[in-house]
Amino acid sequence: AQSVTQLDSHVSVSEGTPVLLRCNYSSSYSPSLFWYVQHPNKGLQLLLKYTSAATLVKGINGFEAEFKKSETSFHLTKPSAHMSDAAEYFCVVSYLSGGYQKVTFGIGTKLQVIP
Amino acid sequence: GAVVSQHPSRVICKSGTSVKIECRSLDFQATTMFWYRQFPKQSLMLMATSNEGSKATYEQGVEKDKFLINHASLTLSTLTVTSAHPEDSSFYICSARVTGGYNEQFFGPGTRLTVL
């Protein structure tokens, strides 16, 4: 079975300080992993994705994530938070099941950025 | 990048009526589209996978007769909530996967359904 655990439902950081949003996954196969961001009442925007290439993945808006197979983790980081980063972040694992692509979403982490 | 639109963005309806939500891939063909549901302060839950030209595959616990999905073309999938009730009020989001593409899904902006 595939699952995603986002360890923090809410993270609060000061503007200009580093961001760390944690994600652990469980997958029977080599997974594809994604981070999406959702601003209030908006759809989801892809930040970055891991698809078995480089383990350190760089995304948009200065975000990056590192795939660590030994730790089954895919944590999202950013060196310096900006006010516009305040949003909900979802870690997602994608896999094939019965010939169809399936995705499992984490419960989400709400990022608050304090001025 | 690939753009997915949804219409309407918001809909309010009376209990017992049916509501149709459209999901379109604007600049690419999508053999597969997905429908998700998001309750307040919760994550997205996959409802069904819509494949062009074939029947949709529903997740466990999702009533296929209540949530009718039609994927008639490579750029359009529709979700019809039949005989809507207040508990169906939710944020419905669709996504589309590029035909022949990898696992990345492109998400629509969502539709806020409120059933009175």
Side-chain angles (χ1 to χ4, degrees):
Chain A
Q2 326 299 320
S3 67
V4 174
T5 303
Q6 289 185 245
L7 297 161
D8 307 293
S9 60
H10 188 273
V11 170
S12 183
V13 302
S14 297
E15 187 177 17
T17 63
V19 176
L20 169 64
L21 304 183
R22 298 182 293 169
C23 173
N24 286 89
Y25 69 92
S26 171
S27 175
S28 303
Y29 311 98
S30 296
S32 295
L33 294 160
F34 305 80
W35 275 99
Y36 286 88
V37 60
Q38 184 182 31
H39 288 91
N41 295 314
K42 301 288 186 182
L44 279 77
Q45 181 183 20
L46 178 67
L47 281 177
L48 49 80
K49 61 184 176 183
Y50 166 75
T51 55
S52 73
T55 56
L56 181 61
V57 182
K58 294 187 183 296
I60 62 172
N61 301 336
F63 284 95
E64 63 181 38
E66 185 172 8
F67 174 73
K68 291 186 177 180
K69 187 174 182 179
S70 61
E71 299 177 9
T72 61
S73 68
F74 191 57
H75 301 334
L76 181 70
T77 60
K78 182 173 181 177
S80 176
H82 192 272
M83 294 300 296
S84 61
D85 295 328
E88 188 99 28
Y89 291 80
F90 293 97
C91 182
V92 178
V93 61
S94 174
Y95 56 98
L96 287 176
S97 176
Y100 294 98
Q101 185 203 21
K102 300 263 187 182
V103 293
T104 299
F105 277 76
I107 198 167
T109 298
K110 187 170 185 177
L111 177 64
Q112 180 185 20
V113 181
I114 302 169
Chain B
V3 179
V4 175
S5 70
Q6 278 184 245
H7 178 79
S9 58
R10 290 179 180 271
V11 57
I12 300 173
C13 68
K14 292 182 179 179
S15 184
T17 60
S18 295
V19 175
K20 180 185 284 188
I21 303 170
E22 293 186 347
C23 177
R24 291 181 185 274
S25 56
L26 297 185
D27 50 2
F28 66 99
Q29 292 185 333
T31 305
T32 306
M33 291 184 172
F34 305 85
W35 287 96
Y36 296 86
R37 185 172 179 177
Q38 184 180 33
F39 289 105
K41 299 183 180 180
Q42 293 188 28
S43 186
L44 279 73
M45 298 296 295
L46 179 65
M47 297 175 66
T49 302
S50 168
N51 295 291
E52 186 266 339
S54 63
K55 291 183 178 180
T57 304
Y58 290 81
E59 295 301 302
Q60 191 172 7
V62 178
E63 299 175 59
K64 62 180 182 181
D65 294 329
K66 180 162 184 67
F67 298 99
L68 300 178
I69 292 173
N70 184 282
H71 193 158
S73 77
L74 287 171
T75 58
L76 174 64
S77 176
T78 60
L79 168 68
T80 301
V81 183
T82 62
S83 187
H85 287 91
E87 57 266 29
D88 297 324
S89 299
S90 188
F91 194 51
Y92 293 86
I93 299 178
C94 75
S95 71
R97 186 165 66 94
V98 177
T99 299
Y102 200 63
N103 291 331
E104 181 177 350
Q105 296 181 28
F106 298 93
F107 288 82
T111 296
R112 173 75 61 190
L113 170 63
T114 302
V115 185
L116 303 176

mmCIF file of all heavy atoms in Angstrom, chain A residues 32 34 36 38 41-44 46 49 51 90 94 100-103 105-107, chain B residues 34 36 38 42-44 51 57 59 91 93 97 102-105 107-109 112:
data_model
loop_
_atom_site.group_PDB
_atom_site.id
_atom_site.type_symbol
_atom_site.label_atom_id
_atom_site.label_comp_id
_atom_site.label_asym_id
_atom_site.label_seq_id
_atom_site.Cartn_x
_atom_site.Cartn_y
_atom_site.Cartn_z
ATOM 1 N N SER A 32 6.967 7.952 -7.599
ATOM 2 C CA SER A 32 7.158 9.325 -8.033
ATOM 3 C C SER A 32 6.586 10.195 -6.913
ATOM 4 O O SER A 32 5.519 9.903 -6.377
ATOM 5 C CB SER A 32 6.407 9.597 -9.345
ATOM 6 O OG SER A 32 6.948 8.817 -10.386
ATOM 7 N N PHE A 34 5.797 14.213 -5.369
ATOM 8 C CA PHE A 34 5.525 15.575 -5.767
ATOM 9 C C PHE A 34 5.249 16.432 -4.528
ATOM 10 O O PHE A 34 4.786 15.931 -3.503
ATOM 11 C CB PHE A 34 4.273 15.643 -6.665
ATOM 12 C CG PHE A 34 4.314 14.757 -7.875
ATOM 13 C CD1 PHE A 34 4.028 13.404 -7.772
ATOM 14 C CD2 PHE A 34 4.635 15.272 -9.116
ATOM 15 C CE1 PHE A 34 4.059 12.573 -8.887
ATOM 16 C CE2 PHE A 34 4.660 14.444 -10.236
ATOM 17 C CZ PHE A 34 4.373 13.104 -10.123
ATOM 18 N N TYR A 36 2.951 19.938 -3.972
ATOM 19 C CA TYR A 36 2.050 20.923 -4.551
ATOM 20 C C TYR A 36 1.757 21.998 -3.512
ATOM 21 O O TYR A 36 1.751 21.740 -2.307
ATOM 22 C CB TYR A 36 0.711 20.282 -4.957
ATOM 23 C CG TYR A 36 0.783 19.425 -6.199
ATOM 24 C CD1 TYR A 36 1.108 18.071 -6.114
ATOM 25 C CD2 TYR A 36 0.523 19.962 -7.460
ATOM 26 C CE1 TYR A 36 1.152 17.286 -7.254
ATOM 27 C CE2 TYR A 36 0.570 19.178 -8.593
ATOM 28 C CZ TYR A 36 0.887 17.840 -8.478
ATOM 29 O OH TYR A 36 0.946 17.074 -9.616
ATOM 30 N N GLN A 38 -1.125 25.051 -2.489
ATOM 31 C CA GLN A 38 -2.491 25.516 -2.723
ATOM 32 C C GLN A 38 -2.713 26.791 -1.924
ATOM 33 O O GLN A 38 -2.683 26.771 -0.687
ATOM 34 C CB GLN A 38 -3.518 24.468 -2.307
ATOM 35 C CG GLN A 38 -4.958 24.854 -2.617
ATOM 36 C CD GLN A 38 -5.966 23.818 -2.137
ATOM 37 O OE1 GLN A 38 -5.755 23.134 -1.152
ATOM 38 N NE2 GLN A 38 -7.082 23.696 -2.856
ATOM 39 N N ASN A 41 -8.594 29.050 -1.606
ATOM 40 C CA ASN A 41 -9.629 29.014 -2.649
ATOM 41 C C ASN A 41 -9.055 28.923 -4.064
ATOM 42 O O ASN A 41 -9.687 29.357 -5.022
ATOM 43 C CB ASN A 41 -10.537 30.240 -2.545
ATOM 44 C CG ASN A 41 -11.309 30.226 -1.240
ATOM 45 O OD1 ASN A 41 -11.868 29.209 -0.837
ATOM 46 N ND2 ASN A 41 -11.311 31.357 -0.556
ATOM 47 N N LYS A 42 -7.891 28.358 -4.171
ATOM 48 C CA LYS A 42 -7.258 28.166 -5.482
ATOM 49 C C LYS A 42 -7.002 26.690 -5.718
ATOM 50 O O LYS A 42 -7.074 25.863 -4.820
ATOM 51 C CB LYS A 42 -5.920 28.925 -5.538
ATOM 52 C CG LYS A 42 -6.030 30.423 -5.314
ATOM 53 C CD LYS A 42 -6.654 31.120 -6.494
ATOM 54 C CE LYS A 42 -6.617 32.632 -6.314
ATOM 55 N NZ LYS A 42 -7.264 33.339 -7.454
ATOM 56 N N GLY A 43 -6.671 26.377 -6.977
ATOM 57 C CA GLY A 43 -6.283 25.014 -7.301
ATOM 58 C C GLY A 43 -4.872 24.734 -6.856
ATOM 59 O O GLY A 43 -4.245 25.525 -6.153
ATOM 60 N N LEU A 44 -4.341 23.615 -7.259
ATOM 61 C CA LEU A 44 -3.005 23.214 -6.846
ATOM 62 C C LEU A 44 -1.976 23.557 -7.906
ATOM 63 O O LEU A 44 -2.217 23.392 -9.101
ATOM 64 C CB LEU A 44 -2.954 21.709 -6.588
ATOM 65 C CG LEU A 44 -3.484 21.260 -5.232
ATOM 66 C CD1 LEU A 44 -4.991 21.262 -5.226
ATOM 67 C CD2 LEU A 44 -2.960 19.888 -4.879
ATOM 68 N N LEU A 46 2.058 22.792 -9.037
ATOM 69 C CA LEU A 46 3.192 21.912 -8.820
ATOM 70 C C LEU A 46 4.423 22.721 -8.449
ATOM 71 O O LEU A 46 4.809 23.652 -9.149
ATOM 72 C CB LEU A 46 3.470 21.096 -10.079
ATOM 73 C CG LEU A 46 4.664 20.148 -10.018
ATOM 74 C CD1 LEU A 46 4.391 19.018 -9.031
ATOM 75 C CD2 LEU A 46 4.976 19.592 -11.397
ATOM 76 N N LYS A 49 8.993 17.845 -8.505
ATOM 77 C CA LYS A 49 8.688 16.421 -8.580
ATOM 78 C C LYS A 49 9.973 15.600 -8.612
ATOM 79 O O LYS A 49 10.999 16.031 -9.125
ATOM 80 C CB LYS A 49 7.856 16.112 -9.816
ATOM 81 C CG LYS A 49 8.546 16.454 -11.138
ATOM 82 C CD LYS A 49 7.618 16.198 -12.322
ATOM 83 C CE LYS A 49 8.268 16.624 -13.637
ATOM 84 N NZ LYS A 49 7.359 16.454 -14.793
ATOM 85 N N THR A 51 11.320 11.898 -9.963
ATOM 86 C CA THR A 51 10.930 10.777 -10.819
ATOM 87 C C THR A 51 12.120 9.869 -11.087
ATOM 88 O O THR A 51 12.365 9.462 -12.212
ATOM 89 C CB THR A 51 10.353 11.293 -12.145
ATOM 90 O OG1 THR A 51 11.321 12.168 -12.749
ATOM 91 C CG2 THR A 51 9.065 12.045 -11.940
ATOM 92 N N PHE A 90 1.068 20.237 -0.066
ATOM 93 C CA PHE A 90 0.706 18.818 -0.093
ATOM 94 C C PHE A 90 1.839 17.993 -0.686
ATOM 95 O O PHE A 90 2.349 18.302 -1.760
ATOM 96 C CB PHE A 90 -0.561 18.585 -0.928
ATOM 97 C CG PHE A 90 -1.794 19.183 -0.333
ATOM 98 C CD1 PHE A 90 -2.254 20.422 -0.752
ATOM 99 C CD2 PHE A 90 -2.501 18.511 0.648
ATOM 100 C CE1 PHE A 90 -3.399 20.981 -0.201
ATOM 101 C CE2 PHE A 90 -3.656 19.065 1.206
ATOM 102 C CZ PHE A 90 -4.088 20.306 0.776
ATOM 103 N N SER A 94 2.844 9.069 -6.278
ATOM 104 C CA SER A 94 2.146 8.563 -7.453
ATOM 105 C C SER A 94 2.652 7.164 -7.765
ATOM 106 O O SER A 94 3.844 6.887 -7.666
ATOM 107 C CB SER A 94 2.401 9.487 -8.643
ATOM 108 O OG SER A 94 1.846 8.949 -9.830
ATOM 109 N N TYR A 100 -3.553 1.429 -13.763
ATOM 110 C CA TYR A 100 -3.947 2.825 -13.719
ATOM 111 C C TYR A 100 -3.036 3.593 -12.780
ATOM 112 O O TYR A 100 -2.543 3.050 -11.797
ATOM 113 C CB TYR A 100 -5.392 2.963 -13.235
ATOM 114 C CG TYR A 100 -6.413 2.380 -14.177
ATOM 115 C CD1 TYR A 100 -6.933 1.104 -13.965
ATOM 116 C CD2 TYR A 100 -6.852 3.100 -15.285
ATOM 117 C CE1 TYR A 100 -7.870 0.564 -14.828
ATOM 118 C CE2 TYR A 100 -7.788 2.566 -16.147
ATOM 119 C CZ TYR A 100 -8.292 1.302 -15.911
ATOM 120 O OH TYR A 100 -9.214 0.770 -16.770
ATOM 121 N N GLN A 101 -2.846 4.857 -13.111
ATOM 122 C CA GLN A 101 -2.065 5.704 -12.228
ATOM 123 C C GLN A 101 -2.927 6.144 -11.053
ATOM 124 O O GLN A 101 -4.059 6.564 -11.221
ATOM 125 C CB GLN A 101 -1.570 6.946 -12.962
ATOM 126 C CG GLN A 101 -0.649 7.788 -12.099
ATOM 127 C CD GLN A 101 -0.594 9.238 -12.553
ATOM 128 O OE1 GLN A 101 -1.494 9.717 -13.232
ATOM 129 N NE2 GLN A 101 0.443 9.951 -12.186
ATOM 130 N N LYS A 102 -2.371 6.061 -9.863
ATOM 131 C CA LYS A 102 -3.061 6.502 -8.660
ATOM 132 C C LYS A 102 -2.166 7.495 -7.945
ATOM 133 O O LYS A 102 -0.944 7.447 -8.060
ATOM 134 C CB LYS A 102 -3.324 5.310 -7.729
ATOM 135 C CG LYS A 102 -4.175 4.214 -8.332
ATOM 136 C CD LYS A 102 -5.599 4.347 -7.922
ATOM 137 C CE LYS A 102 -6.400 3.147 -8.392
ATOM 138 N NZ LYS A 102 -7.827 3.268 -8.047
ATOM 139 N N VAL A 103 -2.794 8.383 -7.213
ATOM 140 C CA VAL A 103 -2.023 9.284 -6.381
ATOM 141 C C VAL A 103 -2.609 9.269 -4.983
ATOM 142 O O VAL A 103 -3.807 9.084 -4.795
ATOM 143 C CB VAL A 103 -2.008 10.724 -6.926
ATOM 144 C CG1 VAL A 103 -1.252 10.791 -8.222
ATOM 145 C CG2 VAL A 103 -3.397 11.280 -7.068
ATOM 146 N N PHE A 105 -2.533 11.699 -1.547
ATOM 147 C CA PHE A 105 -2.148 12.990 -1.011
ATOM 148 C C PHE A 105 -1.873 12.886 0.478
ATOM 149 O O PHE A 105 -2.555 12.153 1.210
ATOM 150 C CB PHE A 105 -3.289 13.998 -1.211
ATOM 151 C CG PHE A 105 -3.304 14.632 -2.565
ATOM 152 C CD1 PHE A 105 -3.755 13.928 -3.675
ATOM 153 C CD2 PHE A 105 -2.871 15.938 -2.740
ATOM 154 C CE1 PHE A 105 -3.762 14.517 -4.934
ATOM 155 C CE2 PHE A 105 -2.892 16.530 -3.996
ATOM 156 C CZ PHE A 105 -3.335 15.826 -5.079
ATOM 157 N N GLY A 106 -0.885 13.638 0.929
ATOM 158 C CA GLY A 106 -0.731 13.836 2.357
ATOM 159 C C GLY A 106 -1.832 14.737 2.854
ATOM 160 O O GLY A 106 -2.575 15.336 2.063
ATOM 161 N N ILE A 107 -1.947 14.859 4.143
ATOM 162 C CA ILE A 107 -3.030 15.634 4.729
ATOM 163 C C ILE A 107 -2.815 17.134 4.581
ATOM 164 O O ILE A 107 -3.733 17.920 4.757
ATOM 165 C CB ILE A 107 -3.220 15.257 6.208
ATOM 166 C CG1 ILE A 107 -4.605 15.723 6.703
ATOM 167 C CG2 ILE A 107 -2.098 15.809 7.065
ATOM 168 C CD1 ILE A 107 -4.988 15.122 8.030
ATOM 169 N N PHE B 34 -8.686 13.118 -13.535
ATOM 170 C CA PHE B 34 -8.989 12.666 -12.183
ATOM 171 C C PHE B 34 -9.915 13.672 -11.503
ATOM 172 O O PHE B 34 -9.797 14.876 -11.717
ATOM 173 C CB PHE B 34 -7.698 12.547 -11.360
ATOM 174 C CG PHE B 34 -6.650 11.664 -11.973
ATOM 175 C CD1 PHE B 34 -5.765 12.172 -12.908
ATOM 176 C CD2 PHE B 34 -6.558 10.336 -11.622
ATOM 177 C CE1 PHE B 34 -4.791 11.368 -13.488
ATOM 178 C CE2 PHE B 34 -5.592 9.515 -12.180
ATOM 179 C CZ PHE B 34 -4.708 10.035 -13.120
ATOM 180 N N TYR B 36 -11.205 14.943 -7.731
ATOM 181 C CA TYR B 36 -10.917 14.924 -6.306
ATOM 182 C C TYR B 36 -11.973 15.729 -5.564
ATOM 183 O O TYR B 36 -12.611 16.626 -6.110
ATOM 184 C CB TYR B 36 -9.545 15.554 -6.018
ATOM 185 C CG TYR B 36 -8.379 14.830 -6.607
ATOM 186 C CD1 TYR B 36 -7.965 15.072 -7.913
ATOM 187 C CD2 TYR B 36 -7.657 13.908 -5.856
ATOM 188 C CE1 TYR B 36 -6.877 14.411 -8.459
ATOM 189 C CE2 TYR B 36 -6.566 13.245 -6.393
ATOM 190 C CZ TYR B 36 -6.180 13.504 -7.689
ATOM 191 O OH TYR B 36 -5.105 12.846 -8.221
ATOM 192 N N GLN B 38 -12.374 17.839 -1.778
ATOM 193 C CA GLN B 38 -11.636 18.363 -0.639
ATOM 194 C C GLN B 38 -12.607 19.001 0.333
ATOM 195 O O GLN B 38 -13.238 20.019 0.018
ATOM 196 C CB GLN B 38 -10.591 19.379 -1.096
ATOM 197 C CG GLN B 38 -9.715 19.896 0.027
ATOM 198 C CD GLN B 38 -8.697 20.908 -0.466
ATOM 199 O OE1 GLN B 38 -8.956 21.663 -1.394
ATOM 200 N NE2 GLN B 38 -7.524 20.914 0.141
ATOM 201 N N GLN B 42 -9.104 19.711 5.067
ATOM 202 C CA GLN B 42 -8.668 18.340 4.830
ATOM 203 C C GLN B 42 -7.929 18.246 3.504
ATOM 204 O O GLN B 42 -7.909 19.192 2.716
ATOM 205 C CB GLN B 42 -9.875 17.398 4.831
ATOM 206 C CG GLN B 42 -10.555 17.263 6.168
ATOM 207 C CD GLN B 42 -11.606 16.179 6.171
ATOM 208 O OE1 GLN B 42 -11.522 15.211 5.423
ATOM 209 N NE2 GLN B 42 -12.612 16.332 7.009
ATOM 210 N N SER B 43 -7.327 17.099 3.284
ATOM 211 C CA SER B 43 -6.582 16.902 2.053
ATOM 212 C C SER B 43 -7.526 16.524 0.913
ATOM 213 O O SER B 43 -8.727 16.358 1.113
ATOM 214 C CB SER B 43 -5.547 15.811 2.261
ATOM 215 O OG SER B 43 -4.723 15.703 1.133
ATOM 216 N N LEU B 44 -6.959 16.386 -0.256
ATOM 217 C CA LEU B 44 -7.744 15.952 -1.406
ATOM 218 C C LEU B 44 -7.920 14.446 -1.359
ATOM 219 O O LEU B 44 -6.985 13.701 -1.072
ATOM 220 C CB LEU B 44 -7.038 16.313 -2.710
ATOM 221 C CG LEU B 44 -7.191 17.738 -3.210
ATOM 222 C CD1 LEU B 44 -6.392 18.701 -2.373
ATOM 223 C CD2 LEU B 44 -6.777 17.834 -4.670
ATOM 224 N N ASN B 51 -11.199 7.958 -17.869
ATOM 225 C CA ASN B 51 -10.434 7.631 -19.074
ATOM 226 C C ASN B 51 -11.288 7.884 -20.314
ATOM 227 O O ASN B 51 -12.427 7.423 -20.393
ATOM 228 C CB ASN B 51 -9.989 6.170 -19.036
ATOM 229 C CG ASN B 51 -9.008 5.911 -17.914
ATOM 230 O OD1 ASN B 51 -7.882 6.369 -17.942
ATOM 231 N ND2 ASN B 51 -9.450 5.200 -16.895
ATOM 232 N N THR B 57 -13.278 4.853 -13.376
ATOM 233 C CA THR B 57 -12.953 3.942 -12.270
ATOM 234 C C THR B 57 -13.133 4.698 -10.973
ATOM 235 O O THR B 57 -12.454 5.699 -10.749
ATOM 236 C CB THR B 57 -11.504 3.443 -12.395
ATOM 237 O OG1 THR B 57 -11.310 2.827 -13.658
ATOM 238 C CG2 THR B 57 -11.196 2.460 -11.277
ATOM 239 N N GLU B 59 -13.225 5.181 -6.805
ATOM 240 C CA GLU B 59 -12.566 4.745 -5.579
ATOM 241 C C GLU B 59 -13.606 4.120 -4.643
ATOM 242 O O GLU B 59 -14.802 4.394 -4.733
ATOM 243 C CB GLU B 59 -11.880 5.906 -4.900
ATOM 244 C CG GLU B 59 -10.738 6.492 -5.704
ATOM 245 C CD GLU B 59 -9.649 5.476 -6.002
ATOM 246 O OE1 GLU B 59 -9.084 4.915 -5.040
ATOM 247 O OE2 GLU B 59 -9.389 5.230 -7.200
ATOM 248 N N PHE B 91 -15.347 21.157 -2.103
ATOM 249 C CA PHE B 91 -14.515 21.743 -3.163
ATOM 250 C C PHE B 91 -14.108 20.593 -4.064
ATOM 251 O O PHE B 91 -13.483 19.641 -3.611
ATOM 252 C CB PHE B 91 -13.297 22.414 -2.514
ATOM 253 C CG PHE B 91 -12.523 23.343 -3.409
ATOM 254 C CD1 PHE B 91 -13.168 24.345 -4.116
ATOM 255 C CD2 PHE B 91 -11.145 23.239 -3.521
ATOM 256 C CE1 PHE B 91 -12.462 25.216 -4.929
ATOM 257 C CE2 PHE B 91 -10.433 24.114 -4.327
ATOM 258 C CZ PHE B 91 -11.085 25.101 -5.029
ATOM 259 N N ILE B 93 -12.055 19.271 -7.308
ATOM 260 C CA ILE B 93 -10.914 19.622 -8.152
ATOM 261 C C ILE B 93 -10.661 18.507 -9.158
ATOM 262 O O ILE B 93 -10.678 17.328 -8.808
ATOM 263 C CB ILE B 93 -9.650 19.838 -7.302
ATOM 264 C CG1 ILE B 93 -9.855 20.994 -6.316
ATOM 265 C CG2 ILE B 93 -8.441 20.129 -8.182
ATOM 266 C CD1 ILE B 93 -8.652 21.234 -5.416
ATOM 267 N N ARG B 97 -3.819 14.382 -16.954
ATOM 268 C CA ARG B 97 -2.468 13.909 -17.235
ATOM 269 C C ARG B 97 -2.257 13.952 -18.740
ATOM 270 O O ARG B 97 -3.125 13.508 -19.507
ATOM 271 C CB ARG B 97 -2.275 12.497 -16.703
ATOM 272 C CG ARG B 97 -0.858 11.974 -16.815
ATOM 273 C CD ARG B 97 -0.690 10.738 -15.953
ATOM 274 N NE ARG B 97 -1.478 9.620 -16.427
ATOM 275 C CZ ARG B 97 -1.023 8.674 -17.249
ATOM 276 N NH1 ARG B 97 0.203 8.746 -17.703
ATOM 277 N NH2 ARG B 97 -1.787 7.674 -17.617
ATOM 278 N N TYR B 102 4.443 11.669 -18.458
ATOM 279 C CA TYR B 102 4.809 10.922 -17.264
ATOM 280 C C TYR B 102 3.727 11.084 -16.213
ATOM 281 O O TYR B 102 2.579 11.324 -16.535
ATOM 282 C CB TYR B 102 6.184 11.389 -16.769
ATOM 283 C CG TYR B 102 6.860 10.373 -15.865
ATOM 284 C CD1 TYR B 102 7.208 9.119 -16.353
ATOM 285 C CD2 TYR B 102 7.112 10.673 -14.542
ATOM 286 C CE1 TYR B 102 7.820 8.193 -15.531
ATOM 287 C CE2 TYR B 102 7.722 9.743 -13.718
ATOM 288 C CZ TYR B 102 8.069 8.504 -14.211
ATOM 289 O OH TYR B 102 8.654 7.593 -13.386
ATOM 290 N N ASN B 103 4.078 10.966 -14.951
ATOM 291 C CA ASN B 103 3.045 10.905 -13.934
ATOM 292 C C ASN B 103 2.500 12.253 -13.486
ATOM 293 O O ASN B 103 1.645 12.310 -12.630
ATOM 294 C CB ASN B 103 3.580 10.165 -12.719
ATOM 295 C CG ASN B 103 3.788 8.695 -13.001
ATOM 296 O OD1 ASN B 103 3.091 8.138 -13.835
ATOM 297 N ND2 ASN B 103 4.735 8.085 -12.341
ATOM 298 N N GLU B 104 3.012 13.339 -14.024
ATOM 299 C CA GLU B 104 2.593 14.638 -13.540
ATOM 300 C C GLU B 104 1.161 14.928 -13.916
ATOM 301 O O GLU B 104 0.725 14.677 -15.042
ATOM 302 C CB GLU B 104 3.485 15.732 -14.116
ATOM 303 C CG GLU B 104 3.124 17.132 -13.627
ATOM 304 C CD GLU B 104 4.078 18.172 -14.160
ATOM 305 O OE1 GLU B 104 5.105 17.792 -14.738
ATOM 306 O OE2 GLU B 104 3.783 19.371 -14.022
ATOM 307 N N GLN B 105 0.430 15.449 -12.942
ATOM 308 C CA GLN B 105 -0.942 15.862 -13.170
ATOM 309 C C GLN B 105 -1.016 17.381 -13.083
ATOM 310 O O GLN B 105 -0.335 17.996 -12.272
ATOM 311 C CB GLN B 105 -1.873 15.250 -12.130
ATOM 312 C CG GLN B 105 -1.950 13.749 -12.180
ATOM 313 C CD GLN B 105 -2.897 13.189 -11.145
ATOM 314 O OE1 GLN B 105 -3.861 13.831 -10.735
ATOM 315 N NE2 GLN B 105 -2.634 11.970 -10.708
ATOM 316 N N PHE B 107 -3.576 20.464 -12.367
ATOM 317 C CA PHE B 107 -4.819 20.623 -11.643
ATOM 318 C C PHE B 107 -5.615 21.835 -12.104
ATOM 319 O O PHE B 107 -5.057 22.876 -12.449
ATOM 320 C CB PHE B 107 -4.548 20.747 -10.141
ATOM 321 C CG PHE B 107 -4.128 19.449 -9.510
ATOM 322 C CD1 PHE B 107 -2.818 19.017 -9.572
ATOM 323 C CD2 PHE B 107 -5.071 18.652 -8.878
ATOM 324 C CE1 PHE B 107 -2.439 17.811 -9.007
ATOM 325 C CE2 PHE B 107 -4.703 17.449 -8.300
ATOM 326 C CZ PHE B 107 -3.389 17.024 -8.364
ATOM 327 N N GLY B 108 -6.918 21.669 -12.072
ATOM 328 C CA GLY B 108 -7.802 22.785 -12.321
ATOM 329 C C GLY B 108 -7.921 23.648 -11.080
ATOM 330 O O GLY B 108 -7.454 23.267 -10.007
ATOM 331 N N PRO B 109 -8.583 24.797 -11.213
ATOM 332 C CA PRO B 109 -8.699 25.730 -10.084
ATOM 333 C C PRO B 109 -9.748 25.326 -9.056
ATOM 334 O O PRO B 109 -9.825 25.921 -7.994
ATOM 335 C CB PRO B 109 -9.083 27.043 -10.756
ATOM 336 C CG PRO B 109 -9.787 26.625 -11.998
ATOM 337 C CD PRO B 109 -9.106 25.371 -12.452
ATOM 338 N N ARG B 112 -16.326 25.227 -6.189
ATOM 339 C CA ARG B 112 -16.919 25.232 -4.836
ATOM 340 C C ARG B 112 -18.412 24.959 -4.975
ATOM 341 O O ARG B 112 -19.133 25.763 -5.546
ATOM 342 C CB ARG B 112 -16.679 26.568 -4.162
ATOM 343 C CG ARG B 112 -17.391 26.759 -2.812
ATOM 344 C CD ARG B 112 -16.719 25.976 -1.723
ATOM 345 N NE ARG B 112 -15.337 26.388 -1.516
ATOM 346 C CZ ARG B 112 -14.480 25.737 -0.756
ATOM 347 N NH1 ARG B 112 -14.855 24.624 -0.144
ATOM 348 N NH2 ARG B 112 -13.245 26.170 -0.619
#
